[in-house]
């Protein structure tokens, strides 16, 4: 059984312990420190939704690759995996702006080291949480 613990802190970055929490190391050398959600993809593989991008690590947080370089929306609030596909929700800025037209929120799925936009079937909804195999949306008023 692994004694590794990996934690994402808003605002504080990624922290890792290899000894069940006895000692901790910062692991946010190449990842934004505004962690909104840290998703465990597999053993030693993580995806972090941050206020300044979507990142993946395959070496327990020692190095990170930015995945969202092909899109404009850098503010990621949520990340989740369903049936082997990683999904993430983003916008131009923090959630207090998501009802504003310039927020341009979107849902993406991860393809290797990049992301692809997913068209949301209801144009007046914004994805704010991902989990349990269902998309949870916020109805814009």
């Amino acid at each position: 059984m692994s004694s590794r613990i990996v934690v994402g802190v808003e605002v504080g970055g990624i922290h890792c312990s290899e000894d069940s929490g006895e000692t901790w190391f910062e692991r946010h050398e190449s990842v934004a420190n505004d962690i909104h959600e840290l998703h465990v993809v597999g053993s030693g593989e993580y995806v972090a939704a941050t206020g300044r991008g979507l990142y993946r690590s395959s070496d327990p947080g020692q190095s990170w690759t930015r995945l969202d370089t092909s899109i404009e929306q850098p503010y990621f609030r949520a990340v989740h995996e369903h049936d082997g596909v990683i999904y993430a929700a983003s916008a131009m800025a923090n959630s207090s702006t998501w009802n504003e037209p310039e927020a341009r929120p979107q849902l993406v799925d991860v393809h290797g080291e990049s992301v692809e936009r997913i068209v949301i079937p209801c144009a007046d909804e914004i994805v704010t949480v991902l989990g349990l195999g269902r998309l949870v949306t916020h109805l814009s008023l």
Side-chain angles (χ1 to χ4, degrees), residues 4 6 16 25 39-40 46 48 52 56 60 62 74 93-94 101 128 130 135 137 139:
R4 178 181 299 137
V6 180
C16 183
F25 303 94
H39 177 73
V40 179
Y46 306 90
R52 290 185 299 281
R56 178 194 296 256
Q62 293 184 38
N94 67 44
T128 57
L130 301 167
L135 300 179
T137 59
L139 181 61

Side-chain angles (χ1 to χ4, degrees), residues 2-140:
S2 175
S3 59
R4 178 181 299 137
I5 302 170
V6 180
V7 177
V9 179
E10 181 185 17
V11 170
I14 304 291
H15 302 271
C16 183
S17 173
E18 297 290 344
D19 56 11
S20 299
E22 291 292 320
T23 58
W24 290 90
F25 303 94
E26 292 184 3
R27 298 278 195 205
H28 49 81
E29 187 69 28
S30 54
V31 64
N33 71 347
D34 185 14
I35 309 298
H36 296 152
E37 187 165 357
L38 181 63
H39 177 73
V40 179
V41 177
S43 179
E45 187 174 356
Y46 306 90
V47 174
T50 80
R52 290 185 299 281
L54 186 69
Y55 297 83
R56 178 194 296 256
S57 174
S58 58
D59 57 6
Q62 293 184 38
S63 64
W64 294 88
T65 300
R66 187 155 182 188
L67 303 175
D68 63 300
T69 58
S70 64
I71 62 171
E72 289 184 79
Q73 293 84 342
Y75 190 91
F76 283 82
R77 188 45 144 183
V79 61
H80 185 73
E81 184 176 9
H82 180 68
D83 288 339
V85 179
I86 298 170
Y87 297 94
S90 69
M92 292 301 288
N94 67 44
S95 56
S96 67
T97 68
W98 287 0
N99 285 333
E100 305 297 325
E102 61 272 5
R104 297 195 317 269
Q106 68 180 8
L107 178 64
V108 299
D109 61 355
V110 176
H111 294 276
E113 298 299 317
S114 65
V115 298
E116 187 173 303
R117 184 174 188 265
I118 297 172
V119 176
I120 300 172
C122 301
D124 61 347
E125 292 185 347
I126 300 167
V127 177
T128 57
V129 178
L130 301 167
L132 303 175
R134 299 180 61 200
L135 300 179
V136 180
T137 59
H138 166 75
L139 181 61
S140 298

